[in-house]
Amino acid sequence: MKNRIDPELRAMLDIFPPLNLDDVQATRKAMEDAAQLTELPVDEEVVVSNRMVPGPEDNPYVRVRIYEPKEKTEKLPGLLWIHGGGYVLGAPEGDDLLCQRFVKEANCVVVSVDYRLAPEHPYPAPLEDCYAALQWFAKKVDELGVDASRIGVGGQSAGGGLTAALALLARDRNGPELCFQMPLYPMIDDKNNSPSSLEITGNLIWNHDLNEKGWSMYLNGKNGKDDVPVHAAPARATDLTNLPYTYTCVGQLDPFRDETLDYVKRLCQAGVDVEFHLYPGAYHGFETLNPTATVSQRALAEYVGAVKHVLNREKVVERK
């Protein structure tokens, strides 16, 4: 397997410690400690703030982290961002640099959701937190200086899974209308039995074993059973019609490769506009672990560019 990895990406795997989901608390603590050691200053052109917003019935408040340009001359598009972490790890601060990049390059306002994590809070808690944040975002567009007709949602990995689930949920509940979804290498298939999920083992950031544990915690041990809801595992959805313009990507050595390919195919068949990129030699989360690699720079530029293109495309379409 290692000889198939892009040479620029290979070296980082040798120093990246394998994730341990047998002790989630310890892994979270290690990630928090590492984040504090590498805390970076906020870009001078971006304002970052935290708000507590109304949550779902069982969670009165959800924290959101807001990124916006210091100066606004017109109403901007908005992006609801959902961090990754296998449904069990992560926090909005881990994506500070990326969210600031969205603000500067795509000229948008970003609201990042600090949703509850499994196993303490299994499905539907994380998704309901994201839906509550989306509802708040849609209601506060005037206060945030956002164009209500140009709100999208995006996320990586489990954040991509929640992105796909949120787009389905907003459609099915007749909730806030989304013009764009960007589920990047999304974690959407709880069955964990595709050829790529079985193929990817060992320390490639995420693998079959970690995927099994993550899904088990998120679905409270019901993963792989017949009664898993489509909003919990969007790969199970049979109706993908009336979903927004979609951008997605995945590495060829990612366990989510095949579920992403299948999702893209079925979105196309459902009449949804889709842009998709497959990156040879790339493992799960490659552009986050090694952002300076050539393939990572390409991937980042392409999906940041997709946010800019689609959210501003909607403005042009509306004007016509």
Side-chain angles (χ1 to χ4, degrees):
M1 180 68 70
K2 268 206 166 185
N3 63 354
R4 295 175 58 195
I5 299 172
D6 184 295
E8 287 187 273
L9 298 176
R10 195 180 303 152
M12 291 301 294
L13 287 177
D14 295 331
I15 60 175
F16 183 81
L19 287 172
N20 177 15
L21 293 190
D22 292 324
D23 191 342
V24 171
Q25 295 295 342
T27 300
R28 288 176 186 165
K29 180 65 166 57
M31 291 175 67
E32 289 171 8
D33 292 345
Q36 289 176 0
L37 289 173
T38 57
E39 189 173 351
L40 298 172
V42 174
D43 190 290
E44 61 182 15
E45 297 178 27
V46 179
V47 177
V48 181
S49 60
N50 294 286
R51 294 270 295 268
M52 300 300 292
V53 306
E57 288 186 6
D58 64 337
N59 187 33
Y61 296 100
V62 175
R63 181 175 72 96
V64 297
R65 190 161 171 84
I66 304 168
Y67 307 78
E68 50 194 328
K70 186 166 285 186
E71 297 183 5
K72 300 175 189 172
T73 58
E74 61 179 345
K75 283 196 171 183
L76 302 177
L79 179 68
L80 186 79
W81 182 254
I82 308 173
H83 71 79
Y87 298 109
V88 299
L89 304 170
E93 286 76 5
D95 292 332
D96 271 353
L97 284 178
L98 179 58
C99 289
Q100 290 178 73
R101 183 169 177 178
F102 284 134
V103 171
K104 292 186 66 178
E105 296 186 25
N107 195 27
C108 64
V109 173
V110 179
V111 173
S112 185
V113 190
D114 189 15
Y115 57 89
R116 288 170 290 173
L117 299 173
E120 298 91 337
H121 303 285
Y123 172 84
L127 179 58
E128 292 293 352
D129 287 353
C130 294
Y131 187 74
L134 175 61
Q135 288 182 303
W136 174 83
F137 197 177
K139 289 176 182 176
K140 295 294 183 178
V141 288
D142 290 337
E143 179 183 332
L144 295 168
V146 167
D147 180 348
S149 68
R150 292 188 291 150
I151 295 178
V153 59
Q156 300 158 318
S157 190
L162 287 166
T163 293
L166 185 61
L168 288 167
L169 192 64
R171 180 200 68 181
D172 296 343
R173 288 182 177 174
N174 294 315
E177 187 171 349
L178 296 168
C179 72
F180 176 55
Q181 68 158 339
M182 189 170 70
L184 303 171
Y185 40 90
M187 183 175 175
I188 55 176
D189 187 358
D190 66 294
K191 294 178 182 178
N192 196 27
N193 62 1
S194 70
S196 61
S197 69
L198 296 169
E199 170 192 342
I200 306 303
T201 58
N203 185 23
L204 287 175
I205 311 304
W206 198 252
N207 58 33
H208 182 270
D209 181 58
L210 291 169
N211 202 38
E212 190 71 19
K213 290 173 181 176
W215 275 114
S216 180
M217 285 185 270
Y218 183 51
L219 298 182
N220 216 7
K222 296 180 180 178
N223 50 307
K225 296 185 179 177
D226 292 339
D227 57 347
V228 171
V230 298
H231 297 127
R236 291 177 176 258
T238 56
D239 179 9
L240 297 180
T241 59
N242 299 315
L243 290 174
Y245 187 113
T246 301
Y247 179 98
T248 185
C249 67
V250 70
Q252 193 166 344
L253 303 181
D254 192 317
F256 301 153
R257 179 194 68 213
D258 293 341
E259 60 205 70
T260 303
L261 287 168
D262 182 65
Y263 181 60
V264 166
K265 178 187 73 174
R266 294 190 301 112
L267 282 169
C268 293
Q269 292 169 345
V272 177
D273 290 333
V274 183
E275 182 175 355
F276 168 65
H277 292 256
L278 177 69
Y279 295 102
Y283 45 74
H284 187 75
F286 64 97
E287 88 289 6
T288 299
L289 185 65
N290 190 348
T292 62
T294 302
V295 66
S296 301
Q297 291 179 2
R298 283 177 48 220
L300 284 160
E302 283 161 354
Y303 65 69
V304 172
V307 174
K308 179 179 180 179
H309 167 69
V310 180
L311 294 184
N312 286 287
R313 165 184 175 271
E314 292 300 318
K315 183 178 180 181
V316 172
V317 169
E318 183 183 343
R319 283 179 174 171
K320 288 182 179 179

